[in-house]
Amino acid sequence: MGGWAIAVHGGAGVDPKLPEERQEEARRVLRRCLGVGAAGLRAGLPAVDVVEMVVRELETDPVFNSGRGSALTQEGTVEMEASIMDGRGRRCGSVSGLTTVKNPVSLARLVMDRSPHSYLAFHGAEDFAREQEVEVVDNSYFITDENVRMLKLAKEANRIVYDYRVPVPSADTCSASAGLVGATTDGGLQMNGLPISIYAPETVGCVAVDSGGWCAAATSTGGLMNKMSGRIGDSPLIGSGTYACGACAVSCTGEGEAIIRSTLARDVAALMEYKGLGLQEAVDYALKERLDEGKAGLIAVSRNGEVAYGFNTVGMFRGCATEDGFMDVAIW
Ligand code: ASP
């Protein structure tokens, strides 16, 4: 047994031109959250409590795209989603379409612990939140001025990027996988049909293994900027954006549609279980072989206390801490 370990992410697909202050702010939040998680693991909390606690912190801070600070729908509203999975017993809970729940990850936890189901969405999830008396706030609480500005830019950009449902005019300006990733007309990087700078990639996630060797994962997001109302991404989908079992725990970020098609999180676990790959090998293999041209990143821990990262984007906000005192936070 390798002791406890924890990793967090704040999204893949970082804008290469992200201002230095913004990078420093992200690093500071990641460090703080790792500190909170490490303290919990040191005190002997189970991994599932720790991932919930850390993701709550990230949801409460407006820096990333989850809870307060969530990306906006086409209508300018927030529809949040989250999931949590405990490798011990492979129990899981997911929520989508939340408009008033302050901490979506904790409602996902309640779906897991106190409902007969694994996944609740939209008004049913909101009703369950009230029944469970979780903290609710007005939708405007989640909306930041920065995201209102980003939505405006996203709407403008949508007028100039190619629609993935129509044939693309030329190879050098077309998108790569199913038309979802490619270059803007000015040659800039693009994800989900939006220039990277306004795609709102900063979904959050946490994976942890406790000193008993049990793994857990949680992921939370507002989804994509300018998404259609009702759109569900990979983050709440067990096996796609989040997975935990006896071998490992995984949380993904990036192009939700590509992650869903590749069942990315479950594939990492399956590669370990069925092919006997090590954690980092499984992460690298899944990213290379399963994503086609999709852009994504992921964090993972194994029951032996190993940590692995992987991404095929320019950057991914991420960090990890282990029982032997190691702590690392990085973007590029
Ligand atoms: N995977 C998220 C989604 O598609 C977005 C992200 O991770 O940046 O909703």
Side-chain angles (χ1 to χ4, degrees), residues 38-89:
L41 288 162
R42 212 174 287 124
L45 287 184
V48 68
D49 288 355
V50 170
V51 296
E52 180 190 352
M53 195 164 71
V54 168
V55 170
R56 277 180 72 95
E57 287 281 322
L58 289 160
E59 287 174 342
T60 307
D61 197 305
V63 162
F64 294 112
N65 169 14
S66 67
R68 180 138 192 272
S70 280
L72 307 180
T73 66
Q74 285 174 344
E75 280 92 51
T77 56
V78 160
E79 288 178 6
M80 298 164 289
E81 46 197 14
S83 62
I84 190 163
M85 186 159 188
D86 188 355
R88 186 172 197 164

Side-chain angles (χ1 to χ4, degrees), residues 9 11-12 65 81 191-192 199-203 221-224 231-235 252-257 259:
H9 72 73
N65 169 14
E81 46 197 14
M191 238 163 124
N192 280 294
Y199 144 75
E202 293 143 359
T203 289
T221 188
L224 303 180
R231 182 261 186 189
I232 291 174
D234 60 298
S235 307
C252 304
T253 170
E255 257 190 280
E257 284 69 10
I259 297 170

Side-chain angles (χ1 to χ4, degrees), residues 85-299:
M85 186 159 188
D86 188 355
R88 186 172 197 164
R90 282 193 289 136
R91 298 180 323 118
C92 60
S94 298
V95 285
S96 283
L98 298 183
T99 52
T100 67
V101 175
K102 193 167 173 214
N103 289 108
V105 72
S106 292
L107 191 65
R109 174 81 191 258
L110 290 169
V111 170
M112 174 171 93
D113 287 346
R114 297 200 202 149
S115 89
H117 304 301
S118 301
Y119 195 164
L120 292 175
F122 295 92
H123 74 85
E126 287 281 337
D127 290 349
F128 180 66
R130 275 150 189 85
E131 189 191 301
Q132 295 295 319
E133 298 180 352
V134 303
E135 190 174 359
V136 292
V137 289
D138 190 78
N139 198 252
S140 59
Y141 159 87
F142 302 104
I143 300 174
T144 61
D145 291 347
E146 170 72 0
N147 282 341
V148 171
R149 199 178 60 81
M150 296 291 246
L151 178 65
K152 193 163 164 282
L153 290 175
K155 283 181 185 283
E156 283 163 13
N158 261 355
R159 274 189 244 124
I160 56 154
V161 297
Y162 295 114
D163 185 329
Y164 62 87
R165 288 161 297 196
V166 298
V168 273
S170 79
D172 55 344
T173 53
C174 82
S175 53
S177 85
L180 288 172
V181 184
T184 53
T185 44
D186 65 1
L189 285 173
Q190 193 186 2
M191 238 163 124
N192 280 294
L194 294 175
I196 277 269
S197 55
I198 52 172
Y199 144 75
E202 293 143 359
T203 289
V204 306
C206 180
V207 292
V209 53
D210 58 34
S211 39
W214 295 109
C215 299
T219 311
S220 181
T221 188
L224 303 180
M225 186 62 75
N226 203 20
K227 68 181 181 182
M228 290 168 69
S229 175
R231 182 261 186 189
I232 291 174
D234 60 298
S235 307
L237 299 184
I238 297 299
S240 291
T242 305
Y243 192 74
C245 59
C248 65
V250 183
S251 171
C252 304
T253 170
E255 257 190 280
E257 284 69 10
I259 297 170
I260 291 170
R261 288 195 300 274
S262 60
T263 58
L264 197 61
R266 170 63 198 152
D267 263 39
V268 170
L271 286 161
M272 294 179 75
E273 288 172 352
Y274 300 147
K275 267 192 136 191
L277 298 194
L279 186 73
Q280 187 68 58
E281 266 181 307
V283 166
D284 294 344
Y285 187 95
L287 271 175
K288 186 155 174 280
E289 304 298 334
R290 295 289 295 157
L291 268 177
D292 307 320
E293 307 267 324
K295 296 286 176 202
L298 57 90
I299 55 172

